[in-house]
Amino acid sequence: MSSKQAAELALSVFATSDAGLAMIAPDDRVLMTNPAFERLFGGAPPSELLARLQIASWGEAAHQEPVLTVNGRTLRIKVMALPPGYFVNCEDITDQFDRSAREAKLARTDRLTELGNRQLLRERLQALLHDSGPGRDSHALLTIDLDRFKAVNDALGRNIGDALLCLVARRIRATVSDQDVIARLYGDQFGIIQSNRPQPASAIALAQRLRDLLSRPYMLEGQLIEVSARVGIAPLTQGTTDADQVIKNADLALNRAKQDRAADYCIFESSMDQTMRARRALETDLRRALALREFALVYQPQFDLQSGRVTGLEALLRWNSPTRSPVSPMEFIPLAEETGMISLIGEWVLRTACRDAAAWPDDITVAVNVSAVQFANRALSTTVLSALADSGLDPRRLELEITESVMLDARGTALGVLQRLRATGVRVSLDDFGTGYSSLGYLRSFPFDKIKIDQSFVRGTSEDPGNRAIVRAIASLGQNLGMATVAEGVETTEHMERISTAGCTHVQGYLISRPLPPEQVIAFLAVSKTAPPTSVSDRSKVA
């Protein structure tokens, strides 16, 4: 190919290229352009052209690749220094740029609610935290969690649950300003970055508005749905530099708000982090206790007022930690339920109680508490029957104590498990009766063997007519339904007299006996056959 032919080929490629090409002299004169370049820049004067190309120093231009928008197109500008001047290549990357922008937006968007997601919220937080100016204190993160969402989702299905989340997202949008950032973090938890407002007063006001608006009823497919919201607030203080720490702080505040049922919101305090560290340490020790078998059972007798004798004992869990000393069940059982460890612990309690009770007289029953978390496991009935078979205990001597939280299972699986177990002879009692909201409905849906009256009604002062009326009403209800009524927390003879007069059939408490270790139960039962109830406790001390 001759040099003339090569030159003609180069000019042909130059003219037909889709990229905008130009030759520019060192003195800024435009020497040559192709049609694509003309379409982009429309014959602009050299001074305007150079300004629009955003190239300040042509001597360094070969090392730059600026991106700019011209006539709605996104261009990447490449400049190459040549002997006669500079060669400019304007590459059209609109489609690539738009695709990247869409992908970036999708990566930061919750597809269900079309709000931002956790990644977006974290990036915006980090950007605000990089600002060390005085305006830092005008920002706050709020995290929002819906009460009862899981129950709604389980009862009405995921489609209704998703639709509810979309309505919640819409209400949140209507509550915040355009400069605030909203994100769905996960599940039914949302986050808001409130910006350029006096803090924490503005965050508190927003939390109260959210609580009011999100708690109003929702109508979905003919269903009237009610949920409520809790809010955690974490102001962006000058000492905080990590977005993850701010999110953690807001979550800690949210957890505190959820624990305090009377609170709409909670503001983060440093002591909450210390509390969370202590909780994690307790969780670690609890897992170790399960592996090292640091748990033990004690048994508290239940006295039958009609026969005048002890007819059963309730198994109570104790944790004798070598590093913590005895840990209160009120402290570790809620944690075990929250972490799911209660299933393994509960199975150990059930099997141990059945094995211990198998050595007692045949007319003595054993009561075992079963949590709602255990009922979520479909294998519970199999576990109960296995524990009975392994121990040889008559099913009629086992009593399962449940609270109304078990009956809140919207799918009805708990009720089905109870019915199957009761068909085998296992007894079922409703614990802490009178402290919930729907217990009367549960008495209609399931034939309990016993109703346990919460000790708060038993230990009330004798001058409180309300407590006396409640105890009498529950005792009468039990009698009419053919259910035994057990009054818990009986500690004095005055308690005993009031309970007996009210018509309760059984009592349980320190007046009868403190909880007994397994090795003392048989001796105690032998003593209790001949002892009046007011003296059983004294005799049990030497059993």
Side-chain angles (χ1 to χ4, degrees):
M1 177 183 298
S2 66
S3 58
K4 181 179 179 181
Q5 290 174 322
E8 290 176 349
L9 178 61
L11 287 172
S12 176
V13 171
F14 184 90
T16 59
S17 174
D18 291 334
L21 306 177
M23 292 290 296
I24 299 179
D27 60 1
D28 297 344
R29 288 181 299 110
V30 179
L31 301 176
M32 182 184 301
T33 62
N34 71 347
F37 190 92
E38 293 297 328
R39 286 195 298 270
L40 290 171
F41 293 97
S47 58
E48 181 182 340
L49 175 62
L50 297 182
R52 295 182 68 181
L53 290 176
Q54 300 178 357
I55 299 175
S57 174
W58 284 93
E60 300 176 357
H63 306 290
Q64 300 177 14
E65 289 190 6
V67 175
L68 68 152
T69 301
V70 177
N71 296 334
R73 309 300 293 176
T74 302
L75 308 178
R76 178 184 287 118
I77 309 300
K78 297 181 181 180
V79 179
M80 181 182 301
L82 296 174
Y86 297 94
F87 178 71
V88 181
N89 181 346
C90 301
E91 181 185 0
D92 191 334
I93 59 169
T94 303
D95 294 341
Q96 175 187 343
F97 187 84
D98 290 348
R99 182 169 60 252
S100 298
R102 287 194 301 271
E103 290 173 352
K105 183 177 180 181
L106 284 174
R108 292 161 178 79
T109 302
D110 175 64
R111 297 190 178 185
L112 175 64
T113 62
E114 297 184 353
L115 298 176
N117 59 14
R118 191 180 186 90
Q119 179 180 345
L120 173 70
L121 182 124
R122 186 184 180 283
E123 290 175 355
R124 296 292 181 86
L125 269 179
Q126 200 63 59
L128 290 173
L129 292 172
H130 283 160
D131 179 11
S132 58
R136 165 80 75 84
D137 293 337
S138 66
H139 312 299
L141 172 65
L142 296 84
T143 54
I144 308 154
D145 187 80
L146 303 179
D147 289 344
R148 294 192 66 252
F149 174 77
K150 185 178 185 302
V152 171
N153 202 51
D154 289 345
L156 302 180
R158 183 175 176 179
N159 289 339
I160 293 291
D162 287 350
L164 176 59
L165 290 176
C166 292
L167 290 180
V168 169
R170 189 180 304 170
R171 292 188 184 184
I172 293 176
R173 281 197 192 97
T175 310
V176 303
S177 69
D178 292 339
Q179 62 183 337
D180 296 336
V181 177
I182 318 171
R184 179 186 174 212
L185 303 181
Y186 57 84
D188 60 330
Q189 189 174 108
F190 297 82
I192 299 173
I193 302 174
Q194 187 185 51
S195 299
N196 303 317
R197 297 284 191 281
Q199 299 298 344
S202 297
I204 292 173
L206 176 57
Q208 292 171 333
R209 292 198 303 273
L210 288 166
R211 167 76 171 177
D212 175 65
L213 187 60
L214 299 183
S215 299
R216 296 177 186 177
Y218 302 80
M219 180 63 73
L220 284 168
E221 296 186 12
Q223 298 278 353
L224 187 65
I225 300 172
E226 294 187 8
V227 294
S228 57
R230 305 281 170 179
V231 182
I233 300 172
L236 273 63
T237 59
Q238 290 292 340
T240 307
T241 59
D242 182 27
D244 291 331
Q245 184 63 48
V246 177
I247 295 173
K248 174 186 172 184
N249 293 347
D251 284 342
L252 289 172
L254 176 62
N255 288 335
R256 179 65 61 84
K258 291 163 70 174
Q259 292 170 9
D260 184 357
R261 305 304 298 177
D264 296 343
Y265 65 88
C266 184
I267 302 175
F268 171 76
E269 299 174 356
S270 58
S271 60
M272 294 178 186
D273 195 25
Q274 298 171 359
T275 301
M276 180 57 66
R277 292 177 188 272
R279 180 192 178 281
R280 288 174 181 161
L282 180 64
E283 180 180 342
T284 299
D285 288 351
L286 186 60
R287 294 185 185 279
R288 184 182 298 113
L290 182 60
L292 299 180
R293 300 185 178 182
E294 295 175 0
F295 296 110
L297 292 184
V298 293
Y299 297 92
Q300 186 166 40
Q302 296 176 343
F303 188 84
D304 187 334
L305 291 172
Q306 296 174 344
S307 66
R309 54 187 294 273
V310 172
T311 56
L313 298 98
E314 179 183 359
L316 302 173
L317 182 62
R318 295 292 184 263
W319 176 15
N320 299 312
S321 170
T323 57
R324 294 176 175 269
S325 68
V327 184
S328 168
M330 299 295 291
E331 184 178 358
F332 73 83
I333 288 182
L335 178 59
E337 290 181 331
E338 184 178 339
T339 59
M341 284 187 281
I342 194 65
S343 295
L344 291 175
I345 296 173
E347 180 175 351
W348 177 86
V349 170
L350 181 65
R351 292 185 180 278
T352 303
C354 288
R355 185 172 60 249
D356 289 345
W360 303 344
D362 292 342
D363 58 345
I364 301 297
T365 62
V366 63
V368 178
N369 290 275
V370 184
S371 77
V373 178
Q374 290 173 266
F375 270 91
N377 187 342
R378 296 181 179 180
L380 177 62
S381 57
T382 302
T383 300
V384 172
L385 296 177
S386 174
L388 290 169
D390 291 346
S391 64
L393 185 69
D394 187 332
R396 292 171 294 182
R397 294 179 57 202
L398 175 62
E399 179 181 308
L400 301 181
E401 291 192 3
I402 67 169
T403 60
E404 71 168 356
S405 59
V406 172
M407 305 302 289
L408 283 172
D409 170 31
R411 294 182 178 179
T413 56
L415 185 60
V417 171
L418 289 173
Q419 290 170 336
R420 287 194 296 274
L421 290 173
R422 200 168 188 276
T424 68
V426 173
R427 303 183 183 190
V428 182
S429 64
L430 184 60
D431 200 7
D432 296 338
F433 186 81
T435 60
Y437 299 99
S438 308
S439 297
L440 289 177
Y442 303 146
L443 296 182
R444 292 174 54 193
S445 63
F446 186 82
F448 291 94
D449 296 281
K450 279 183 184 176
I451 307 172
K452 300 194 74 176
I453 304 173
D454 187 72
Q455 59 186 5
S456 61
F457 301 115
V458 175
R459 293 179 181 175
T461 62
S462 58
E463 291 79 17
D464 187 344
N467 280 336
R468 294 200 306 271
I470 290 173
V471 173
R472 284 197 304 269
I474 297 174
S476 176
L477 182 64
Q479 182 179 7
N480 291 331
L481 294 174
M483 302 176 185
T485 48
V486 184
E488 297 182 287
V490 175
E491 297 183 344
T492 66
T493 54
E494 190 270 333
H495 289 164
M496 175 74 84
E497 290 171 0
R498 281 196 289 117
I499 292 305
S500 179
T501 302
C504 293
T505 61
H506 294 73
V507 295
Q508 178 179 339
Y510 284 2
L511 182 65
I512 306 303
S513 174
R514 291 179 176 272
L516 302 167
E519 61 271 15
Q520 293 183 12
V521 170
I522 293 178
F524 171 84
L525 292 173
V527 170
S528 68
K529 288 183 178 180
T530 59
T534 54
S535 62
V536 167
S537 180
D538 292 334
R539 298 192 187 188
S540 71
K541 294 176 183 177
V542 296

